[in-house]
Amino acid sequence: DQQVKQNSPSLSVQEGRISILNCDYTNSMFDYFLWYKKYPAEGPTFLISISSIKDKNEDGRFTVFLNKSAKHLSLHIVPSQPGDSAVYFCAASFRGGAGSYQLTFGKGTKLSVIP
Amino acid sequence: DSGVTQTPKHLITATGQRVTLRCSPRSGDLSVYWYQQSLDQGLQFLIQYYNGEERAKGNILERFSAQQFPDLHSELNLSSLELGDSALYFCASSVGGAGNTGELFFGEGSRLTVL
């Protein structure tokens, strides 16, 4: 049972335009959501996050939106740059016993920004 | 550079064999996580250690085991290897504890190929 779903395996966007990456989740216990970016031959790197008490978080060209009622979040990249071409993973977490937690990742969306 | 070091970067072995993957977390991080990424799959959580103790367990096979040593480095042991165990194995670390919301720092991964 996939608790975090990224239904688009790939996305192509023209340079300068907006990239919108989507993510859906099923577990209501999730209270923190993150996006990671991964280049080939590298490990994933943290990009941006949002707490469930917010509906928007912005960091430069990157904005994450959270719609709790729809259990949906999205990552907007404006303007898109060729260097943004990477695989983007959506992840969700909740705090378990003794402060432990674990991240549940989606399968990723490969973004290609075309110059 | 995330500060998380994984060795070896690449490993080729035969079915039925046993291998050990090693991870050194970022300086000061107490939590270590192991993830598996198979072809076309997202990052599957295997196991978490916090300050030497197992904290959370995910989809880790019984043939796999891990430990975290007093110096906080961790090893993932994979035994009786099968073709399907071929994957990228990522180690990640975090400060850990109740205040952590899930931002992990990933190593570059160990690519295991089982022939």
Side-chain angles (χ1 to χ4, degrees):
Chain A
D1 177 30
Q2 220 182 330
Q3 297 186 60
V4 177
K5 299 178 185 179
Q6 293 178 257
N7 292 319
S8 297
S10 62
L11 175 68
S12 288
V13 172
Q14 208 70 29
E15 180 180 3
R17 298 289 189 102
I18 183 172
S19 295
I20 300 176
L21 294 92
N22 293 302
C23 178
D24 298 295
Y25 63 96
T26 57
N27 192 337
S28 301
M29 295 286 289
F30 289 140
D31 58 7
Y32 206 75
F33 303 89
L34 307 92
W35 286 93
Y36 280 77
K37 180 167 74 171
K38 184 183 180 303
Y39 292 118
E42 295 183 12
T45 56
F46 170 75
L47 186 59
I48 192 169
S49 63
I50 187 168
S51 164
S52 60
I53 63 174
K54 295 185 176 182
D55 55 18
K56 177 182 175 181
N57 188 27
E58 197 171 347
D59 183 2
R61 296 185 298 112
F62 302 91
T63 303
V64 57
F65 295 92
L66 175 63
N67 182 334
K68 281 180 60 179
S69 61
K71 293 191 176 68
H72 176 84
L73 63 154
S74 60
L75 174 68
H76 292 210
I77 307 174
V78 184
S80 301
Q81 300 174 352
D84 296 329
S85 297
V87 177
Y88 289 79
F89 290 100
C90 171
S93 74
F94 66 89
R95 195 156 303 147
S100 70
Y101 70 91
Q102 58 180 270
L103 287 185
T104 301
F105 283 84
K107 292 188 177 182
T109 296
K110 184 177 182 180
L111 173 65
S112 300
V113 181
I114 304 161
Chain B
D1 182 6
S2 67
V4 177
T5 304
Q6 288 187 247
T7 57
K9 283 189 168 36
H10 301 276
L11 191 55
I12 301 174
T13 189
T15 54
Q17 295 298 305
R18 172 190 169 95
V19 298
T20 298
L21 309 180
R22 195 179 192 280
C23 171
S24 293
R26 286 189 324 158
S27 177
D29 284 357
L30 299 179
S31 274
V32 170
Y33 308 77
W34 287 97
Y35 282 84
Q36 179 193 54
Q37 185 183 19
S38 302
L39 192 65
D40 294 333
Q41 295 294 316
L43 293 153
Q44 300 292 321
F45 171 69
L46 296 178
I47 197 164
Q48 176 201 357
Y49 280 83
Y50 175 76
N51 204 20
E53 294 189 1
E54 182 183 305
R55 179 60 67 92
K57 219 168 187 177
N59 300 320
I60 188 166
L61 299 172
E62 286 192 10
R63 299 183 287 107
F64 295 0
S65 65
Q67 55 184 324
Q68 186 179 28
F69 295 86
D71 67 352
L72 300 178
H73 91 272
S74 176
E75 291 182 357
L76 178 66
N77 300 297
L78 315 174
S79 61
S80 302
L81 285 169
E82 301 175 0
L83 296 177
D85 297 328
S86 296
L88 257 177
Y89 291 85
F90 286 103
C91 170
S93 73
S94 71
V95 171
N100 200 327
T101 47
E103 182 179 339
L104 305 183
F105 296 85
F106 283 83
E108 294 184 349
S110 292
R111 181 172 292 281
L112 172 66
T113 302
V114 182
L115 300 177

